[in-house]
């Protein structure tokens, strides 16, 4: 009888410990939710503009829900933008519209202002061009180079913009991105100033990289 009592006691103790552990586990607080940034919509963005939140002349863009302050336009950036617009306009003016530093609406949370956008030839007085209207976007990059080659590239790819060029002023190069797939571009070329570029999307557009550079 003594042996039976001895073997049964640990089992009761184990059951009590297990019950206590289950009770402690049941009252644990939920895991904390990490902080996350507030994402603005295009409507929020315009409402802030109407309220006068942005100062006159400030360069701001709505990038995937974040309001981004863009650097001032330096002379080299201005010249590269003018060259890109003029060269594209000369070759495409009868068939496409070439817009300079005008907004495009990519999604409910993205409305960037690319340096040059080549879009379908129609009126946009009711709404900015949307992804289905856009054939090529050109960003002229000086201090914004890493942003244009990183965050903006992924944003344009996610919107399925078929072709994206970055005119790299510090290195005098042209980065060409095509074939948007799964949130990025699957094809990339980098061309030097003495090379020629032909658009994969706009076959008539063929020019020297040097003609775009300031």
């Amino acid at each position: 009888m003594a042996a039976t009592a001895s073997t049964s006691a640990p089992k009761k103790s184990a059951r009590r410990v297990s019950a206590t552990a289950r009770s402690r586990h049941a009252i644990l607080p939920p895991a904390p939710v990490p902080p996350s940034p507030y994402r603005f919509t295009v409507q929020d963005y315009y409402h802030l503009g109407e309220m006068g939140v942005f100062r006159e002349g400030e360069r701001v863009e709505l990038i995937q829900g974040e309001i981004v302050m863009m650097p001032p336009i330096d002379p080299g950036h201005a010249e590269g933008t003018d060259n890109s617009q003029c060269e594209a306009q000369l070759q495409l003016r009868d068939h496409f519209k070439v817009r300079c530093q005008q907004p495009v609406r990519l999604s409910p949370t993205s409305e960037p202002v690319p340096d040059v956008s080549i879009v379908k030839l129609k009126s946009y007085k009711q709404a900015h061009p949307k992804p289905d209207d856009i054939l090529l976007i050109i960003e002229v990059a000086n201090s914004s180079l890493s942003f244009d080659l990183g965050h903006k590239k992924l944003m344009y790819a996610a919107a399925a913009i078929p072709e994206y060029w970055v005119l790299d002023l510090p290195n005098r190069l042209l980065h060409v991105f095509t074939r948007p797939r799964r949130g990025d571009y699957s094809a990339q070329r980098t061309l030097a100033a003495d090379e020629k570029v032909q658009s994969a999307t706009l076959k008539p557009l063929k020019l020297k990289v040097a003609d775009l550079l300031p």
Side-chain angles (χ1 to χ4, degrees):
M1 296 298 295
T4 301
S6 174
T7 55
S8 62
K11 292 182 180 178
K12 291 180 181 179
S13 175
R15 285 197 295 269
R16 285 196 299 271
V17 171
S18 178
T20 303
R22 286 197 299 270
S23 175
R24 288 177 180 171
H25 179 73
I27 62 173
L28 285 175
V33 177
S36 60
Y38 180 84
R39 301 290 177 181
F40 294 94
T41 66
V42 170
Q43 283 104 347
D44 296 332
Y45 177 57
Y46 274 82
H47 185 53
L48 292 173
E50 292 165 0
M51 293 170 59
V53 172
F54 311 125
R55 292 193 296 268
E56 187 72 24
E58 277 186 328
R59 297 183 65 224
V60 296
E61 300 183 36
L62 183 64
I63 307 294
Q64 294 178 324
E66 296 182 349
I67 296 174
V68 178
M69 303 292 296
M70 303 304 293
I73 298 175
D74 59 77
H77 184 284
E79 185 75 4
T81 300
D82 284 347
N83 292 347
S84 299
Q85 181 194 18
C86 290
E87 290 295 328
Q89 188 72 51
L90 283 171
Q91 299 188 33
L92 302 173
R93 61 189 170 191
D94 295 332
H95 304 286
F96 302 95
K97 182 172 285 191
V98 181
R99 292 161 55 97
C100 183
Q101 294 178 340
Q102 299 295 332
V104 295
R105 178 76 58 85
L106 300 184
S107 75
T109 58
S110 289
E111 190 173 288
V113 184
D115 289 311
V116 177
S117 54
I118 300 173
V119 300
K120 293 177 181 177
L121 188 61
K122 65 179 188 180
S123 172
Y124 296 98
K125 64 181 180 180
Q126 299 297 331
H128 294 308
K130 295 180 174 59
D132 288 346
D133 302 311
I134 303 166
L135 301 158
L136 171 63
I137 281 179
I138 304 173
E139 295 283 10
V140 178
N142 203 341
S143 60
S144 65
L145 181 61
S146 62
F147 188 67
D148 291 336
L149 290 175
H151 204 120
K152 272 197 170 179
K153 173 176 73 80
L154 298 179
M155 175 187 64
Y156 289 133
I161 304 304
E163 190 166 3
Y164 174 48
W165 294 3
V166 177
L167 187 61
D168 179 346
L169 301 186
N171 301 300
R172 299 188 63 78
L173 300 170
L174 180 67
H175 306 277
V176 176
F177 303 95
T178 55
R179 300 179 191 170
R181 185 178 302 165
R182 298 178 182 177
D184 201 352
Y185 287 98
S186 61
Q188 174 183 353
R189 291 180 293 150
T190 300
L191 304 174
D194 60 353
E195 295 184 87
K196 291 184 178 180
V197 58
Q198 179 169 12
S199 168
T201 307
L202 301 162
K203 296 301 183 183
L205 184 60
K206 184 177 182 179
L207 42 82
K208 295 178 182 178
V209 173
D211 291 339
L212 304 178
L213 291 163

